[in-house]
Amino acid sequence: MPKSFELPDVSGAVLGVLGGTGDLGRGLAARFAAAGQQVLLGSRDRERAVAAVDTLPLGDKEKVRGLDNIECARSADVVLVAVPWEGHAALLEECREALDGKVVIDCVNPLGFDERGAFALPVPEGSACLQAQQLLPGSRVVGAFHHVSAVVLLDPEVQSLELDVMVVGDDREATDTVQALASRLPGVRGIYAGRLRSSGQVEALTANLISVNRRHRAHAGIRVTGL
Amino acid sequence: MPKSFELPDVSGAVLGVLGGTGDLGRGLAARFAAAGQQVLLGSRDRERAVAAVDTLPLGDKEKVRGLDNIECARSADVVLVAVPWEGHAALLEECREALDGKVVIDCVNPLGFDERGAFALPVPEGSACLQAQQLLPGSRVVGAFHHVSAVVLLDPEVQSLELDVMVVGDDREATDTVQALASRLPGVRGIYAGRLRSSGQVEALTANLISVNRRHRAHAGIRVTGL
């Protein structure tokens, strides 16, 4: 990508992962620790967060600390939200004050499942990201990491992820920060892909990738071509 | 991709392109003609369709014939819908009988544009594809080719397109046919990506790709990784 798109140095940023005991949260925590980032892994229950750190299949565990969600939100510089959709609104309301002024990365996919597979759930606010921005008016919400497979993240055999992370948001400094963070993972490019109003389809596309996975027994991701 | 996903031979299928005088329609007609397919290029006005054939920047023009939309729909085996969103419903209603029993490939993106760029328009039926299936109950509607850039298609310097076409639909034989057609274009894989209920986000994602294009002065496409 051209020189004008140089991204900030985020190697010193402390990354918090809310809902860090789930597969996606653990996978992202492990990958960022492996990339040299300081990571705080948050859970409703501090004990469970501490225990989850020991289960990380890769990354330097010294780089990861388990905390309860609110302490995690308070102590991190940039905060990833990786809870199931069902717990999304309640968690954000609970952490509102602790997240004030921070870059909040929402990677939650509002999906339902039936015998035909996954499908996008309607969200009154338009998307998980838009719900987050509405619940956290003092935070800078950015959508990212929707299409990364937890299975791939947690597989220590996978050295390079070989996919792009679509980054959506309304605040340029915040999207630059998240692009830079994503790009720290081997084989990943963080690519700006529009404003929050265009976050719904990025989240919903995960249903399509799950259809690909079902047909091909794969863990599909996305690359943006032509850059 | 594994052997069980072998696709049908569609080299003999006559492909119709409704709205074939627009950039996307001309681009697809030219690329399919270059790939050896017989193509019927349809327009509201037969004269304009015939004239458009002469403007194709690549592909054997002997393979392409200009017709009015209804004659195009009637004479083709598989029909691509490449009209602007504004004309989508009216065109399909007009061609309903001629499209009966056929595989109809909808590649229309319901997008609006303002000073901030492109955004997905709400569609009462859920998506252009779902609207098409509702208007054409006797046809087998498949969504595809949403993310291909007309500029790239029409550039004779581009030999290989280097992107994937996400194919969505409820009829396996129809989606197999469209995957096979897409895969005839050099550098393209047609990939099954879910049912029609998951077509809205595929269409809307084009707004995100337009954001990528604006930031990078690019013509972005999509590859599905992990297959």
Side-chain angles (χ1 to χ4, degrees), chain A residues 1-2 5 114 116-120 147 161-163 166 168 170 172 175-176 179 191-195 197-202 204-205 207-209 211-212 215-216 218-227, chain B residues 1-2 5 114 116-120 147 161-163 166 168 170 172 175-176 179 191-195 197-202 204-205 207-209 211-212 215-216 218-227:
Chain A
M1 293 189 240
F5 295 106
D114 62 18
R116 292 176 158 191
F119 59 95
H147 304 149
L161 296 167
E162 296 307 329
L163 52 83
M166 289 186 163
V168 292
D170 293 340
R172 174 71 185 253
T175 57
D176 279 358
Q179 285 184 257
I191 295 179
Y192 174 74
R195 292 176 171 269
R197 68 177 177 178
S198 294
S199 57
Q201 56 263 34
V202 174
L205 196 76
N208 301 85
L209 295 178
S211 293
V212 173
R215 171 115 1 142
H216 292 284
H219 299 289
I222 288 286
R223 276 274 192 218
V224 178
T225 64
L227 295 188
Chain B
M1 291 189 244
F5 297 107
D114 62 18
R116 292 178 160 189
F119 58 96
H147 305 148
L161 296 168
E162 297 306 331
L163 52 83
M166 288 187 163
V168 291
D170 293 340
R172 175 71 186 252
T175 56
D176 279 358
Q179 285 184 258
I191 295 180
Y192 173 75
R195 292 175 169 268
R197 67 177 177 178
S198 293
S199 56
Q201 56 264 34
V202 175
L205 196 76
N208 301 83
L209 296 178
S211 293
V212 173
R215 170 113 5 138
H216 292 284
H219 299 291
I222 287 288
R223 276 273 191 220
V224 179
T225 64
L227 295 187

Side-chain angles (χ1 to χ4, degrees), chain A residues 22 29 36 41 52 67 78 85 118 166 173 183 192 198 201 212-214:
Chain A
L41 193 152
L67 293 170
V78 176
W85 168 239
M166 289 186 163
E173 199 181 66
S183 302
Y192 174 74
S198 294
Q201 56 263 34
V212 173
N213 291 345
R214 277 165 64 113

Side-chain angles (χ1 to χ4, degrees), chain A residues 98-204:
Chain A
L99 293 171
D100 199 50
K102 297 193 176 174
V103 174
V104 174
I105 310 173
D106 202 300
C107 51
V108 174
N109 294 311
L111 298 180
F113 294 85
D114 62 18
E115 71 288 355
R116 292 176 158 191
F119 59 95
L121 292 173
V123 179
E125 296 85 351
S127 71
C129 284
L130 287 163
Q131 183 185 77
Q133 189 61 81
Q134 200 164 305
L135 292 171
L136 307 172
S139 303
R140 295 184 285 169
V141 173
V142 173
F145 301 107
H146 297 96
H147 304 149
V148 295
S149 153
V151 174
V152 172
L153 290 175
L154 288 167
D155 182 350
E157 301 293 306
V158 176
Q159 307 280 324
S160 177
L161 296 167
E162 296 307 329
L163 52 83
D164 291 333
V165 167
M166 289 186 163
V167 176
V168 292
D170 293 340
D171 178 312
R172 174 71 185 253
E173 199 181 66
T175 57
D176 279 358
T177 296
V178 177
Q179 285 184 257
L181 272 168
S183 302
R184 295 207 73 206
L185 304 182
V188 174
R189 298 183 302 176
I191 295 179
Y192 174 74
R195 292 176 171 269
L196 283 186
R197 68 177 177 178
S198 294
S199 57
Q201 56 263 34
V202 174
E203 298 169 4

Side-chain angles (χ1 to χ4, degrees), chain B residues 102-222:
Chain B
K102 298 194 177 174
V103 175
V104 174
I105 310 173
D106 202 300
C107 52
V108 174
N109 293 311
L111 298 181
F113 294 86
D114 62 18
E115 72 289 354
R116 292 178 160 189
F119 58 96
L121 292 171
V123 179
E125 296 85 351
S127 71
C129 285
L130 287 163
Q131 183 186 78
Q133 189 62 78
Q134 200 165 307
L135 293 171
L136 307 172
S139 303
R140 295 183 284 169
V141 173
V142 174
F145 301 107
H146 297 96
H147 305 148
V148 296
S149 153
V151 174
V152 172
L153 290 175
L154 288 166
D155 183 350
E157 301 292 306
V158 176
Q159 307 280 323
S160 176
L161 296 168
E162 297 306 331
L163 52 83
D164 291 333
V165 167
M166 288 187 163
V167 176
V168 291
D170 293 340
D171 177 314
R172 175 71 186 252
E173 198 180 65
T175 56
D176 279 358
T177 297
V178 177
Q179 285 184 258
L181 272 168
S183 302
R184 295 207 73 205
L185 304 182
V188 174
R189 297 183 301 176
I191 295 180
Y192 173 75
R195 292 175 169 268
L196 283 186
R197 67 177 177 178
S198 293
S199 56
Q201 56 264 34
V202 175
E203 297 170 5
L205 196 76
T206 307
N208 301 83
L209 296 178
I210 291 171
S211 293
V212 173
N213 292 345
R214 278 165 64 112
R215 170 113 5 138
H216 292 284
R217 299 178 181 281
H219 299 291
I222 287 288

